[in-house]
Amino acid sequence: MTENAQQQPPAPSTDLPTQYAPADVEGPLYERWVERGYFEADEKSDKPPYTIVIPPPNVTGSLHLGHAFEHTLIDALTRRKRMQGYETLWQPGMDHAGIATQNVVERELAKEGKSRHDLGRETFVERVWQWKGESGGQISGQMRRLGDGVAWSRERFTMDEGLSQAVQTIFKRLYDDELIYRAERIINWCPRCLTAISDIEVEYQDDDGELVSMKYGDGDDTIVVATTRAETMLGDTAVAVHPGDERYKHLIGKLVKLPLTDRSIPVVADEHVDPEFGTGAVKVTPAHDPNDFEIGQRHDLPALTIMDEHAVITAHGPFQGLDRLEARSAIVAALRAEGRIVAEKRPYVHSVGHCSRCKTTIEPRLSMQWWVKVGPLAKAAGDAVRDGKVKIHPQEMEKRYFDWVDNLHDWCISRQLWWGHRIPVWYGPNGEVVCVGPDEEAPGTEAEGWRQDTDVLDTWFSSGLWPFSTLGWPEQTESLAKFYPNSVLVTGYDILFFWVARMMMFGLYAMDGTPPFHTIALHGMVRDQFGKKMSKSFGNAVNPLDWMDKYGSDALRFTLARGANPGVDVPIGEDWVQGSRNFANKIWNATRFAMMNGATIEGPLPDVSTMSATDRWILSRLNSVVAEVDAFYEDYQFAKLSDALFHFAWDEVFDWYVELSKTTFQAGGEAAEVSKRVLGEVLDVTLKLLHPVVPFVTETLWTTLTGGESVVIADWPKAVSVPGADAPGGFQDADAEREIESLQSVITEVRRFRADQGLQPGQRVPARLILDGTRFAPHEAAIRQLLRLQPEGDAFTATATLPVAGAEVALDLSGTIDVAAERKRLAKDLAAAEKEKSQANGKLGNEAFLAKAPDHVVDKIRTRLAKAEEDIARIQAQLERLPQG
């Protein structure tokens, strides 16, 4: 008997509506959970901690299927751990989403005919905070709809006071440790957002462009280079060739005329150049290409910036003031007019970087920015996984992680925005540079010539602190001591680099080598039912609220969990959600029926000697499922645990145990009372097992069944012990399982025969059951009821006899089917199957055909042959079973 049942006298009731209506249940239930504080976490508790942070959604966002998927998995884990007796913290919060949020508010200002510059920095930031208070964070309400069991009292925002202090603290420490520096280097620049973005915020896609080959120099000093960005030639400061390329040895060190300009540029030898690619010569534009920048550094070349922040040409001459794409066409035309174009290829499909926020083509640009020196931080992040301090699940994702952290470039962390954590560095009137910590005063005033850096930090800088900044760091709080490190991080493999690597680097650095979590459990992306990425542009994006409104939150959650194989993308379609709704209805209807028939948890389980084989079988199977589900949870196998629970609940409990027990209930007596108690126990445990994935329907049914306060705080199931059975690890009965499996085979075989004969499911047929000497004798009443077999009468004639599993079922089909018509129909089907077999055999026996036919054609014919042989065997068996005459 459960501990909850011992503590509270059960008050079961069958006062349940005939149908489950999620809309009437979910909202009030969730508010009750929150009001009672079930999801809160107490750092003073002596329970073992279990901590998960929410991957903070953007304040600009709303719940999409990816959120719903991830939140379902996290909620399932935390609900189970709470039931297991852990002090469970699911930490909620939101990210300030620098670029995205600034873009939203700037669009609002544009409707008023204003820009942020009209307001000024301070007023603009106030406007963003106002927007955040009024419109931001709608995702919080949607999380409640889904049933997220987060500790709402601990909700954090990456721009709140505590987290801002954490950001300033770690910036200061990294700066003092010379792990943050300022330098002029090539960055990814978005001409639309007017800010630098990191490498991982660049999305690459194949675009149609042009490849233009153009001639530099004249006469013997001519050299041909090719480019997809002709406009950058205005900033060329060299041509590079491989030092071993014999074609160009005579040019190395010489100057060649740069067309359309009055400049000459050197030819330099550099190992970076691939002599096999194109002409083996490349133009070098150090201010507008990362590889060219490196060549320029090696050869001490000047770096000429020829575009402004809007990607408009600033170089002197006829192209000044043109947009980069306008300049591209104009420059090619001018080169063509001078006879400098050697070849043009259009369209030329090549990979082009785009801003992940606004999709504008990225412009590599030489710029003074702030950087994190990631070398030692990344090494520590890699070693933590290699040394086993942190486990990545599934393990095959480790390679992807190492490929990233072992090859990290220094991280550009400054952004040319106003919304975000402003860089805590001041510049003095005499070139002083002072980094200010959170408890330090600015070194001087503007009047004294001091000014603060105008840039803000990359959003990922603050979210990288999330596992410990949300717990009060840099203060050594009780929450930090209790709940750090996190138990597991559940997140998508698509942000393994964006977020996970950042948290690993910062956590190990700030927390004295303690990683931010023990396990990284990676999941895939949600896709449509055809495996295609969901996108508004594809027309296949789904608002999860629509499906929750239509089918209930439990249905959506169960569908998502049932598709969640570790690290693998999850296809989802509406019909699958509808199927999960049907499952929720099945749980409701079957539990309601069971309670109406007296299912109870009152009192201890009866002694094993009083139980039927059916009772012992379901308890034995129940314990197997408890062990399976526990093992799957520990391995983050959500799809497998959901599937195991689906088939156990629907197939074994509802379709077999409840059905097999109906005759027992109808007969009454001691056997009925035993089965009612067993059924109550099975429902109690099954509803608890299902609760983390489908919390709403299980809460309603469990509290009604048991009279307990809430399944949220009930004990997680352990193996059930049965009085009188010697089973220290929980009751198991292999004999009962074999017996019921054989009984199932009898019923299944006869049902199949009935269907083959065209009998309606509810049509009653006279039958003689020959069960003497078999294990089925005690089950005769159940067999007759489930198979709609009425007792044999005086005029009974066994027209068909089915020997199954050691028993015999003789049926009298006279008067129920037209035997002659059925034989005629089956004979026609048999002839068609034999003709198909003959044709397939003929082709497969033809050597000339086999020599010419493609493999897939031959395989198709072999499949047709196998199918024909199966059909022949099936039809012949049906004919043999038909009554004679």
Side-chain angles (χ1 to χ4, degrees):
M1 184 170 60
T2 64
E3 181 180 333
N4 187 279
Q6 291 174 332
Q7 293 172 345
Q8 298 190 38
S13 166
T14 56
D15 187 21
L16 287 169
T18 55
Q19 291 184 325
Y20 177 51
D24 297 338
V25 170
E26 293 173 354
L29 265 188
Y30 187 85
E31 291 310 313
R32 190 183 312 154
W33 291 335
V34 172
E35 288 167 6
R36 294 178 177 179
Y38 292 157
F39 305 140
E40 296 301 325
D42 181 5
E43 58 269 9
K44 294 181 173 61
S45 166
D46 58 2
K47 295 179 182 178
Y50 186 81
T51 317
I52 295 181
V53 294
I54 191 173
N58 287 350
V59 68
T60 58
S62 60
L63 193 74
H64 57 64
L65 272 178
H67 290 127
F69 172 54
E70 187 167 79
H71 290 200
T72 294
L73 306 187
I74 298 174
D75 198 41
L77 289 173
T78 53
R79 283 179 183 269
R80 172 175 174 261
K81 285 295 182 180
R82 189 178 294 111
M83 295 171 74
Q84 285 184 313
Y86 286 78
E87 192 62 37
T88 303
L89 170 60
W90 181 8
Q91 173 67 54
M94 286 183 293
D95 191 283
H96 67 278
I99 296 176
T101 304
Q102 181 157 317
N103 283 346
V104 167
V105 178
E106 286 195 89
R107 284 196 296 268
E108 292 296 315
L109 285 174
K111 295 176 184 177
E112 304 170 15
K114 298 178 182 177
S115 74
R116 61 183 164 118
H117 300 285
D118 295 323
L119 274 63
R121 184 169 192 141
E122 186 176 334
T123 304
F124 176 77
V125 170
E126 289 176 0
R127 180 70 177 260
V128 180
W129 277 108
Q130 179 186 343
W131 175 88
K132 191 258 181 186
E134 295 173 356
S135 306
Q138 62 174 313
I139 201 168
S140 296
Q142 296 165 341
M143 287 166 59
R144 294 171 182 264
R145 284 287 314 277
L146 189 65
D148 286 3
V150 300
W152 286 112
S153 70
R154 294 172 175 261
E155 186 174 12
R156 302 303 297 269
F157 180 54
T158 50
M159 285 283 286
D160 69 27
E161 184 178 353
L163 270 65
S164 294
Q165 183 184 23
V167 168
Q168 197 171 350
T169 299
I170 201 163
F171 187 99
K172 170 72 171 172
R173 291 188 186 179
L174 289 164
Y175 181 86
D176 289 347
D177 287 344
E178 298 183 347
L179 293 173
I180 281 183
Y181 63 94
R182 191 168 185 248
E184 189 176 44
R185 296 173 59 179
I186 290 285
I187 47 90
N188 303 299
W189 181 263
C190 176
R192 159 63 183 78
C193 297
L194 298 180
T195 182
I197 62 175
S198 66
D199 291 345
I200 54 178
E201 292 172 297
V202 179
E203 293 179 349
Y204 288 90
Q205 65 184 49
D206 287 341
D207 286 357
D208 286 344
E210 61 181 3
L211 181 66
V212 179
S213 298
M214 47 197 183
K215 183 168 56 176
Y216 288 8
D218 296 296
D220 291 340
D221 293 343
T222 298
I223 192 166
V224 176
V225 298
T227 182
T228 58
R229 303 169 67 225
E231 69 279 8
T232 63
M233 60 86 60
L234 299 175
D236 286 359
T237 56
V239 173
V241 298
H242 191 275
D245 195 331
E246 295 293 335
R247 293 171 295 177
Y248 302 119
K249 278 200 170 181
H250 68 289
L251 287 176
I252 295 173
K254 288 189 174 183
L255 297 176
V256 296
K257 180 76 167 59
L258 181 65
L260 308 182
T261 73
D262 58 0
R263 293 189 293 117
S264 292
I265 58 177
V267 177
V268 300
D270 196 279
E271 295 281 350
H272 170 76
V273 180
D274 180 1
E276 302 297 324
F277 183 76
T279 64
V282 296
K283 56 191 289 297
V284 182
T285 321
H288 292 278
D289 182 275
N291 293 321
D292 292 3
F293 177 79
E294 299 296 334
I295 294 175
Q297 293 285 295
R298 288 193 289 272
H299 297 277
D300 198 25
L301 299 173
L304 304 180
T305 298
I306 61 161
M307 296 183 209
D308 66 12
E309 61 184 7
H310 298 280
V312 171
I313 301 298
T314 57
H316 293 297
F319 311 107
Q320 186 174 8
L322 294 180
D323 170 83
R324 56 183 166 168
L325 297 182
E326 296 171 333
R328 183 176 300 173
S329 299
I331 287 171
V332 171
L335 289 167
R336 191 183 299 115
E338 289 192 3
R340 295 278 177 181
I341 299 298
V342 176
E344 298 177 68
K345 184 176 181 180
R346 296 187 186 87
Y348 178 73
V349 179
H350 62 130
S351 181
V352 177
H354 296 261
C355 173
S356 61
R357 299 292 181 187
C358 69
K359 312 309 177 187
T360 301
T361 300
I362 289 302
E363 188 62 46
R365 187 168 187 255
L366 187 63
S367 180
M368 183 67 75
Q369 301 286 344
W370 286 95
W371 305 80
V372 172
K373 187 185 295 182
V374 300
L377 302 175
K379 182 180 184 304
D383 290 345
V385 175
R386 288 188 173 94
D387 297 344
K389 290 182 181 178
V390 178
K391 297 186 183 303
I392 293 180
H393 187 86
Q395 190 174 2
E396 54 265 27
M397 286 285 179
E398 282 186 2
K399 181 181 184 302
R400 185 181 292 205
Y401 176 79
F402 291 136
D403 286 345
W404 180 253
V405 298
D406 292 348
N407 297 285
L408 269 179
H409 300 297
D410 283 0
W411 172 20
C412 177
I413 56 172
S414 45
R415 299 291 180 266
Q416 289 64 55
L417 303 170
W418 287 356
W419 173 244
H421 296 100
R422 195 165 174 180
I423 289 176
V425 172
W426 270 256
Y427 306 104
N430 299 310
E432 301 96 333
V433 179
V434 178
C435 181
V436 176
D439 300 320
E440 299 171 351
E441 295 290 332
T445 65
E446 285 190 19
E448 297 169 333
W450 288 87
R451 61 182 180 83
Q452 185 178 356
D453 197 298
T454 57
D455 289 351
V456 300
L457 288 163
D458 178 10
T459 299
W460 298 102
F461 190 94
S462 52
S463 60
L465 314 179
W466 193 248
F468 51 93
S469 63
T470 52
L471 297 172
W473 187 91
E475 301 299 325
Q476 297 303 306
T477 64
E478 288 183 293
S479 289
L480 189 65
K482 178 74 173 180
F483 296 113
Y484 187 91
N486 291 188
S487 306
V488 62
L489 173 73
V490 178
T491 192
Y493 64 72
D494 55 318
I495 59 171
L496 180 62
F497 323 124
F498 285 88
W499 191 43
V500 179
R502 309 298 193 215
M503 287 189 290
M504 286 286 284
M505 290 192 296
F506 282 166
L508 289 160
Y509 173 79
M511 300 300 293
D512 300 319
T514 302
F517 19 72
H518 297 301
T519 301
I520 302 168
L522 297 171
H523 59 71
M525 299 169 63
V526 178
R527 297 182 177 272
D528 71 13
Q529 59 189 328
F530 305 108
K532 190 173 182 180
K533 181 179 178 180
M534 285 192 172
S535 166
K536 289 181 180 177
S537 61
F538 295 154
N540 63 349
V542 174
N543 183 347
L545 294 175
D546 293 341
W547 281 352
M548 286 192 279
D549 288 341
K550 194 170 182 180
Y551 303 111
S553 299
D554 284 334
L556 177 63
R557 290 171 59 115
F558 192 74
T559 304
L560 292 166
R562 204 173 179 194
N565 290 297
V568 178
D569 289 346
V570 183
I572 184 172
E574 184 170 2
D575 54 337
W576 302 342
V577 185
Q578 186 175 352
S580 295
R581 187 271 314 272
N582 295 343
F583 179 51
N585 288 342
K586 181 75 171 182
I587 299 169
W588 181 273
N589 294 334
T591 304
R592 182 174 178 275
F593 169 85
M595 286 190 284
M596 289 176 63
N597 281 272
T600 180
I601 65 161
E602 188 172 0
L605 277 174
D607 192 89
V608 69
S609 62
T610 66
M611 292 182 182
S612 67
T614 311
D615 296 330
R616 300 194 308 276
W617 161 73
I618 198 62
L619 290 173
S620 183
R621 286 293 305 128
L622 177 68
N623 281 344
S624 295
V625 170
V626 169
E628 283 178 26
V629 169
D630 278 333
F632 288 143
Y633 263 116
E634 295 306 314
D635 199 33
Y636 304 100
Q637 297 281 358
F638 296 98
K640 290 182 178 179
L641 72 88
S642 299
D643 211 48
L645 286 170
F646 174 87
H647 287 294
F648 176 70
W650 191 310
D651 299 344
E652 299 187 81
V653 178
F654 302 144
D655 277 0
W656 282 109
Y657 182 71
V658 170
E659 292 299 319
L660 287 170
S661 300
K662 281 181 179 179
T663 53
T664 305
F665 294 153
Q666 291 167 0
E670 183 183 355
E673 296 306 311
V674 169
S675 291
K676 289 175 184 178
R677 180 63 189 88
V678 169
L679 180 54
E681 187 76 13
V682 171
L683 290 175
D684 175 23
V685 173
T686 302
L687 292 171
K688 288 177 180 176
L689 292 173
L690 284 164
H691 173 73
V693 181
V694 284
F696 294 107
V697 66
T698 51
E699 170 81 340
T700 306
L701 293 172
W702 186 86
T703 53
T704 304
L705 170 71
T706 68
E709 179 184 340
S710 173
V711 70
V712 176
I713 55 172
D715 292 334
W716 182 251
K718 296 179 180 177
V720 174
S721 295
V722 176
D726 184 16
F731 177 74
Q732 290 287 298
D733 192 328
D735 289 338
E737 289 195 37
R738 282 191 292 270
E739 180 172 333
I740 301 305
E741 285 170 9
S742 297
L743 176 62
Q744 290 171 332
S745 68
V746 171
I747 293 170
T748 301
E749 184 65 24
V750 176
R751 280 176 173 166
R752 185 180 296 117
F753 175 76
R754 286 177 56 107
D756 287 343
Q757 304 310 312
L759 297 176
Q760 295 300 314
Q763 187 173 354
R764 294 197 167 273
V765 177
R768 176 184 299 149
L769 305 185
I770 305 171
L771 307 175
D772 293 343
T774 71
R775 63 182 66 181
F776 306 125
H779 304 291
E780 179 168 355
I783 292 172
R784 286 190 176 277
Q785 179 161 316
L786 290 174
L787 292 173
R788 302 296 189 268
L789 302 179
Q790 63 191 40
E792 56 187 290
D794 294 338
F796 177 83
T797 302
T799 57
T801 301
L802 281 73
V804 282
E808 257 186 27
V809 179
L811 303 173
D812 184 353
L813 301 180
S814 57
T816 59
I817 60 172
D818 184 336
V819 175
E822 185 65 13
R823 281 190 176 279
K824 187 175 181 180
R825 182 186 71 80
L826 289 173
K828 183 178 179 182
D829 291 347
L830 181 61
E834 287 174 336
K835 181 179 180 181
E836 177 75 3
K837 176 182 177 181
S838 176
Q839 290 175 341
N841 273 327
K843 289 184 177 181
L844 293 174
N846 186 333
E847 295 296 334
F849 171 79
L850 292 177
K852 295 180 181 179
D855 290 344
H856 74 274
V857 172
V858 176
D859 289 342
K860 187 174 182 180
I861 293 171
R862 289 194 177 112
T863 301
R864 283 170 48 195
L865 174 62
K867 174 67 166 56
E869 289 174 338
E870 288 177 7
D871 288 344
I872 289 169
R874 175 179 55 80
I875 296 167
Q876 287 175 338
Q878 288 179 245
L879 283 167
E880 290 173 4
R881 290 171 177 168
L882 279 175
Q884 298 300 314

